[in-house]
Amino acid sequence: MNNQTAAATARKSTIAQMIPVMLCFFAMGFVDLVGTATNYVQKDLGLSEASASIFPSLVFFWFLIFSVPTGMLMNKIGRKKTVLLSLAVTFISLLIPLFGESYMIMLLSFSFLGIGNAIMQTSLNPLVTNLISSDKLASTLTFGQFVKAIASFSATLIAPWGAATAMMTFGLNWRILFLIYAVICLLSLAALGATPIHEEKPDKVSGIGECVRLLGRPFILLCFIGIMCHVGIDVGTNTYAPKVISERLGLALNEAIFGTTVYFICRTAGCFLGAFILRMMPPRSFFLISVLLMAAGMAILMTCRDLTMLFTGIGLIGVGNSNIFSVVFSQALIAAPAERNEVSGLMIMGLFGGTIFPLAMGAAAGAVGQLGSIIVMSAGVLYLLVYTMKIKNQ
């Protein structure tokens, strides 16, 4: 009876700790507002395709700079304190657009958003390993991605509402999105700060060279590139789905933006289902099905001109891409259990793919239309198909 009581107490303690952690995953999803915001900024400021592509690229540029140093910082101050720092930086980024929407203000806001999210993604995922066993890590991270996706698709609903009605009440138009998310970010900061979490101390404090040298391990390098492809497809679909619909069907932005909503709704549903399916299905089989769904979605976007079919293609990409990050990230952590902080920094540095893909897609779209942007994303899907063969079924 005492053992049962102790086990029940431990479960309650874990649940109490996971609630604020999952609230942080919601705050992590704020970075995905960049696709929706970019479309509105482009329209408001009359920017070209190439100029507008700088915004999502800038957000993810900071993952290249801050991810590995954040892994080192975690070794010094701990994972929880690092997450708290990331929430503070994110909160600042969300306040900046409330003072205007000029080009420089939005660049500054997106820069801080990228920095905060780079720190958060590097530190929050390893923090989960303090609460969850390795065999449940992939499914737990997937559930975190489900919570994150709720924030992502909420942006596609709040911004159009703000553009249509909030201007009369708040004077913020679509930028009311930043105000709402700033309040939630502050709540996340307070909740995590008040939650005790025990962390094991690292055996050593690594330098940048030691972290980067981990890319010399073939499987870690494959995971790194896999993360780049995942986020490139994610940001690319987020940003370019409305552009594909507009080009094919001539719809206005407020109508075409629903394509992004479809993507995030399907990605959210995929994360939710994946959290349970990954507990029953081998990771390699699940990953293969996910990649094949994305491939089917890309084929539809390349060939169809019907709105329902375009939404179907976008939805398939959303479901397929929903669990890629969790599987790749957990595979990397399991492959190097003694260097989890360092590996986390490297994997999150792979989110730099969110810089490379939009720039390549913008250039391709400018040259041959939105078909070019779809071809760039399809290259990422092809790589993930090859990566599938390397996944270990732990």
Side-chain angles (χ1 to χ4, degrees):
M1 181 64 71
N2 288 337
N3 288 340
Q4 291 178 344
T5 302
T9 302
R11 281 195 298 271
K12 288 180 181 178
S13 176
T14 300
I15 293 172
Q17 291 170 317
M18 286 301 296
I19 290 174
V21 168
M22 287 300 154
L23 191 57
C24 292
F25 270 102
F26 188 87
M28 186 192 289
F30 296 167
V31 73
D32 288 324
L33 67 80
V34 64
T36 299
T38 295
N39 285 307
Y40 280 100
V41 173
Q42 181 179 6
K43 178 185 176 184
D44 292 349
L45 302 182
L47 302 177
S48 67
E49 197 74 57
S51 297
S53 70
I54 290 175
F55 289 110
S57 297
L58 180 64
V59 168
F60 289 95
F61 167 77
W62 298 108
F63 286 85
L64 178 66
I65 305 299
F66 280 91
S67 298
V68 170
T70 298
M72 297 161 54
L73 179 65
M74 281 192 289
N75 284 337
K76 291 184 178 180
I77 68 173
R79 295 166 182 170
K80 176 184 168 181
K81 289 182 179 178
T82 308
V83 175
L84 291 173
L85 173 63
S86 73
L87 288 168
V89 176
T90 301
F91 178 68
I92 292 171
S93 76
L94 296 168
L95 289 181
I96 293 173
L98 303 182
F99 299 96
E101 55 179 327
S102 71
Y103 190 76
M104 291 308 298
I105 282 179
M106 299 311 298
L107 282 177
L108 185 62
S109 172
F110 285 176
S111 291
F112 273 93
L113 184 62
I115 293 169
N117 207 262
I119 299 172
M120 190 183 305
Q121 297 221 38
T122 304
S123 53
L124 184 56
N125 290 295
L127 184 63
V128 174
T129 65
N130 293 110
L131 307 173
I132 298 296
S133 59
S134 294
D135 62 318
K136 295 184 176 66
L137 182 59
S139 60
T140 303
L141 291 180
T142 291
F143 188 77
Q145 292 298 307
F146 161 67
V147 175
K148 174 179 179 286
I150 294 174
S152 301
F153 88 75
S154 295
T156 68
L157 302 176
I158 296 171
W161 165 76
T165 64
M167 186 69 176
M168 295 181 293
T169 306
F170 303 100
L172 288 175
N173 58 39
W174 63 270
R175 289 178 296 122
I176 194 172
L177 172 66
F178 291 90
L179 175 61
I180 293 171
Y181 279 0
V183 173
I184 298 172
C185 187
L186 197 59
L187 291 175
S188 303
L189 183 63
L192 183 64
T195 303
I197 298 177
H198 173 73
E199 301 179 44
E200 70 276 9
K201 292 188 179 296
D203 295 331
K204 58 187 177 65
V205 177
S206 302
I208 292 179
E210 293 173 282
C211 293
V212 175
R213 273 196 293 273
L214 288 172
L215 290 175
R217 302 183 189 180
F219 186 69
I220 298 296
L221 178 60
L222 289 173
C223 291
F224 176 80
I225 300 173
I227 294 289
M228 290 186 70
C229 292
H230 154 72
V231 75
I233 295 165
D234 186 60
V235 177
T237 308
N238 177 5
T239 305
Y240 281 85
K243 300 178 190 295
V244 171
I245 293 172
S246 292
E247 181 183 87
R248 299 278 173 84
L249 305 176
L251 297 182
L253 176 59
N254 259 14
E255 297 173 287
I257 203 75
F258 188 68
T260 304
T261 305
V262 169
Y263 172 73
F264 281 123
I265 288 174
C266 291
R267 199 183 78 171
T268 303
C271 286
F272 181 75
L273 293 173
F276 300 100
I277 296 173
L278 274 168
R279 292 175 180 261
M280 301 178 289
M281 181 181 290
R284 183 186 294 173
S285 301
F286 183 73
F287 195 88
L288 177 61
I289 292 171
S290 298
V291 176
L292 291 177
L293 287 175
M294 283 196 288
M298 293 296 174
I300 290 173
L301 291 188
M302 284 184 183
T303 58
C304 292
R305 291 184 172 273
D306 176 74
L307 182 61
T308 301
M309 288 302 297
L310 290 174
F311 282 160
T312 300
I314 292 167
L316 288 173
I317 297 169
V319 173
N321 206 28
S322 58
N323 300 289
I324 299 297
F325 176 86
S326 301
V327 175
V328 175
F329 195 92
S330 62
Q331 288 278 311
L333 290 182
I334 292 170
E339 298 101 358
R340 283 181 169 175
N341 287 352
E342 293 85 348
V343 169
S344 176
L346 284 175
M347 292 304 106
I348 300 306
M349 187 170 72
L351 295 182
F352 179 64
T355 293
I356 297 173
F357 270 70
L359 289 176
M361 292 169 69
V368 298
Q370 294 305 329
L371 177 62
S373 65
I374 300 169
I375 291 173
V376 173
M377 289 192 290
S378 298
V381 174
L382 181 62
Y383 174 85
L384 292 173
L385 188 61
V386 174
Y387 172 83
T388 305
M389 298 302 104
K390 302 296 183 180
I391 292 176
K392 301 174 179 64
N393 281 322
Q394 287 109 327

